[in-house]
């Protein structure tokens, strides 16, 4: 009971660390590409090619990062400290330091370092959570997931609105964001002291037991398919709001609504899953996402209020994905008696294939369709943007629903 009480008392620190990671994730997937397109004149086609190459590297290295995290689990506190410092430095390179050379090359270098540190920290964080959840007692996975993902989504909310708020006080809002992020990294590290490496016994450093499990292979594939809609909408969100809805300047508010809805819904999804079962509740969240995508297909210029409602609905659906999918996978990993970092390295690998897909297909498709960021676009080009932003995610999410519906979830 005393161990459980101490574990519960440290959950806010897990929320803060999750917020720090999420604040790094938003610029990676949303702000950075448009910032370099608008500020440094990088073309959409070149940006798409660079992002595809970077995300392909990111995808391929995740299993290796998982192996490194597992190999050094006895020194995980030092690993996490070093990787957090690297991530803060890379964020400063990306936004606070003027490109030292061709902007596209500087973007690629900065983002490669940021991707690597972010991925390594995410793998360590989720792997450490398997042991933490076990110390929380009954429904520990869902309880930890609720705190962790609520913190992550709160961090995303702060990151979404920060550039807009900082623009009112400084001429370089993204540079100021990078400095504020460095401070958040320090706070997160201090809060998590003593939480790393609590279960540091050596384990089998092979992916074979995980990949030999048919359920794990199927769930990893589900993670890829289900992550694709978020990758698509994240890549195109700013372009959709600015050009299809003709609402430049509203991006910060809409992102805040989206992520605030996800953050507020996270503990509700966790509680609902504890009562009704994770699979049933996750299916409901995925159905809500499909409804939101269908609604986005009907929007046109000036539709701020309807899109705000869609942001609230799709944000709530994202909350279900972020809380329940990792919790279900972590519960399966517990049966292996170690290897959590290896498992989440593979989970990250599967999820990030979606981001590579989005980068490889979407921005070049818009470029070939004649899309001009911030400029005048034909009705046909705007229709293409809408179909890519809302129609494609809807189809992908329906496939994910079919996969989950036919997957047996232990404990449900």
């Amino acid at each position: 009971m005393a161990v459980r009480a101490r574990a519960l008392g440290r959950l806010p620190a897990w929320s803060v660390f999750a917020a720090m990671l999420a604040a790094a994730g938003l610029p990676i997937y949303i702000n950075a590409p448009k910032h370099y397109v608008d500020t440094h004149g990088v073309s959409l086609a070149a940006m798409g090619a660079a992002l595809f190459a970077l995300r392909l590297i990111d995808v391929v290295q995740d299993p290796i990062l998982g192996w490194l995290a597992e190999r050094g689990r006895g020194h995980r506190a030092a690993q996490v400290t070093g990787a957090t410092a690297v991530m803060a430095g890379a964020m400063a390179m990306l936004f606070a330091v003027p490109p030292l050379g061709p902007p596209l090359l500087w973007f690629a270098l900065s983002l490669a370092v940021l991707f690597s540190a972010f991925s390594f920290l995410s793998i360590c964080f989720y792997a450490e959570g398997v042991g933490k959840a076990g110390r929380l007692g009954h429904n520990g996975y869902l309880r930890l997931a609720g705190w962790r993902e609520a913190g992550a989504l709160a961090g995303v909310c702060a990151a979404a609105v920060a550039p807009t708020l900082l623009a009112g006080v400084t001429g370089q809002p993204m540079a100021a964001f990078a400095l504020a992020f460095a401070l958040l990294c320090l706070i997160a590290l201090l809060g998590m002291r003593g939480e790393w490496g609590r279960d540091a016994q050596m384990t089998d450093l092979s992916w074979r037991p995980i990949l030999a499990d048919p359920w794990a292979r199927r769930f990893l594939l589900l993670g890829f398919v289900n992550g694709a809609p978020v990758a698509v909408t994240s890549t195109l969100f700013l372009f959709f709001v600015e050009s299809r809805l003709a609402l430049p300047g509203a991006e910060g508010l809409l992102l805040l609504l989206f992520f605030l809805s996800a953050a507020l819904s996270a503990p509700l999804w966790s509680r609902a899953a504890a009562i009704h079962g994770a699979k049933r509740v996750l299916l409901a969240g995925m159905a809500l996402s499909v409804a939101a995508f269908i609604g986005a297909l009907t929007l046109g210029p000036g539709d701020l209020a309807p899109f705000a409602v869609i942001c609230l609905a799709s944000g709530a659906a994202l909350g279900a994905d972020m809380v329940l999918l990792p919790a279900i996978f972590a519960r399966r990993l517990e049966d292996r008696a170690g290897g959590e970092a290896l498992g989440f390295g593979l989970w990250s690998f599967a999820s990030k294939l979606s981001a590579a897909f989005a980068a490889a297909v979407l921005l070049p498709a818009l470029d070939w369709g004649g899309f001009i960021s911030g400029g005048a676009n034909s009705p046909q080009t705007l229709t293409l943007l809408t179909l890519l932003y809302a129609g494609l995610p809807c189809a992908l999410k329906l496939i994910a629903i079919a996969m989950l519906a036919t997957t047996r979830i232990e404990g449900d």
Side-chain angles (χ1 to χ4, degrees), residues 15-31 118 126 148-165 177 181 184 230 234 237 251-264 315 318-319 322:
S15 286
V16 174
F17 198 90
M20 178 267 290
L21 283 175
L26 184 73
I28 289 175
Y29 295 114
I30 297 181
N31 284 325
F118 175 84
Y126 277 85
R148 182 179 57 205
E149 305 313 330
L153 293 163
V156 169
C157 290
V161 73
T164 302
L165 294 178
F177 173 84
F181 177 75
L184 178 59
V230 177
S234 296
F237 179 85
E251 299 92 338
L253 172 63
L254 292 167
L255 279 174
L256 180 62
L257 287 176
F258 174 77
F259 290 116
L260 186 60
S261 175
L264 293 176
L318 176 64
M322 293 186 68

Side-chain angles (χ1 to χ4, degrees), residues 14 18-21 28 43 47 71 96 115 128 137 159 161 165-166 175 191 222 224 231 284 306 313 361 376 389 410:
W14 286 72
M20 178 267 290
L21 283 175
I28 289 175
S43 72
M47 180 60 67
R71 183 69 179 84
F115 269 144
E128 197 70 36
V161 73
L165 294 178
L166 291 170
L222 173 61
F224 164 72
V361 175
Y389 176 79
E410 294 180 3

Side-chain angles (χ1 to χ4, degrees), residues 4-411:
R4 182 182 175 187
R6 286 195 298 271
L8 286 169
R10 298 302 303 276
L11 284 175
W14 286 72
S15 286
V16 174
F17 198 90
M20 178 267 290
L21 283 175
L26 184 73
I28 289 175
Y29 295 114
I30 297 181
N31 284 325
K34 193 171 190 302
H35 175 75
Y36 273 75
V37 168
D38 293 347
T39 304
H40 300 293
V42 179
S43 72
L44 284 173
M47 180 60 67
L51 283 173
F52 173 68
L54 286 166
R55 287 172 175 169
L56 190 61
I57 294 171
D58 189 36
V59 165
V60 171
Q61 75 178 355
D62 274 355
I64 299 172
L65 294 176
W67 184 89
L68 289 173
E70 196 67 48
R71 183 69 179 84
R73 64 190 299 169
H75 306 283
R76 188 164 286 169
Q79 288 182 322
V80 168
T81 300
T84 303
V86 169
M87 186 170 67
M91 187 72 78
M93 285 178 60
L94 189 64
F95 292 124
V97 179
L100 302 178
L104 185 62
L105 181 60
W106 185 256
F107 170 84
L109 176 62
S110 303
L111 211 55
V113 177
L114 186 52
F115 269 144
S116 300
F118 175 84
S119 298
F120 183 77
L121 288 169
S122 298
I123 291 168
C124 288
F125 187 54
Y126 277 85
E128 197 70 36
V130 175
K132 178 72 172 182
R135 296 190 293 274
L136 292 173
H138 181 62
N139 282 328
Y141 292 103
L142 293 175
R143 187 179 293 112
L144 175 62
W147 277 89
R148 182 179 57 205
E149 305 313 330
L153 293 163
V156 169
C157 290
V161 73
T164 302
L165 294 178
L166 291 170
V169 298
T170 177
Q172 296 182 308
M174 296 311 299
F177 173 84
L179 297 177
F181 177 75
L183 177 60
L184 178 59
C185 287
L186 178 60
I187 294 171
L189 281 176
L190 292 174
M192 285 289 287
R193 285 181 303 173
E195 290 293 293
W196 303 108
R198 297 285 298 275
D199 303 287
Q201 70 273 15
M202 185 55 67
T203 186
D204 180 12
L205 297 176
S206 171
W207 295 287
R208 189 174 304 163
I210 300 171
L211 294 176
D213 181 357
W215 186 97
R217 293 198 303 270
R218 181 179 179 83
F219 208 74
L220 288 169
L221 179 60
L222 173 61
F224 164 72
V225 176
N226 190 67
V230 177
V232 170
T233 54
S234 296
T235 301
L236 299 180
F237 179 85
L238 296 180
F239 300 110
F240 183 80
V241 173
E242 181 182 59
S243 298
R244 185 69 186 98
L245 301 182
L247 295 170
E251 299 92 338
L253 172 63
L254 292 167
L255 279 174
L256 180 62
L257 287 176
F258 174 77
F259 290 116
L260 186 60
S261 175
L264 293 176
S265 71
L268 301 180
W269 291 117
S270 178
R271 290 176 193 146
I275 298 171
H276 302 291
K279 179 178 177 178
R280 184 180 301 174
V281 173
L282 182 55
L283 284 170
M286 295 165 89
L288 177 61
S289 181
V290 170
F293 291 136
I294 292 174
L297 285 169
T298 67
L299 300 182
D303 284 339
L304 177 60
F307 191 61
V309 173
I310 288 172
C311 286
L312 290 171
S314 56
L318 176 64
D321 285 349
M322 293 186 68
V323 168
L324 300 179
L325 281 170
I328 293 170
F329 191 62
R331 190 164 59 191
R332 183 75 171 196
L333 288 179
E334 185 185 26
D335 297 335
R336 291 197 63 245
E340 297 89 356
L342 291 170
F344 276 104
L346 292 172
W347 176 258
S348 184
F349 167 81
S351 300
K352 287 180 182 176
L353 276 175
S354 306
F357 159 78
V361 175
L362 299 176
L363 295 181
L366 282 180
D367 194 51
W368 295 330
F371 179 78
I372 302 172
S373 177
N377 291 284
S378 68
Q380 293 81 5
T381 301
L382 294 178
T383 298
L384 173 63
L385 174 61
T386 301
L387 289 174
L388 290 175
Y389 176 79
L392 180 59
C394 185
L396 291 168
K397 185 63 78 168
L398 287 172
I399 295 173
I401 288 175
M403 291 182 65
L404 178 61
T406 56
T407 301
R408 180 175 178 271
I409 306 298
E410 294 180 3

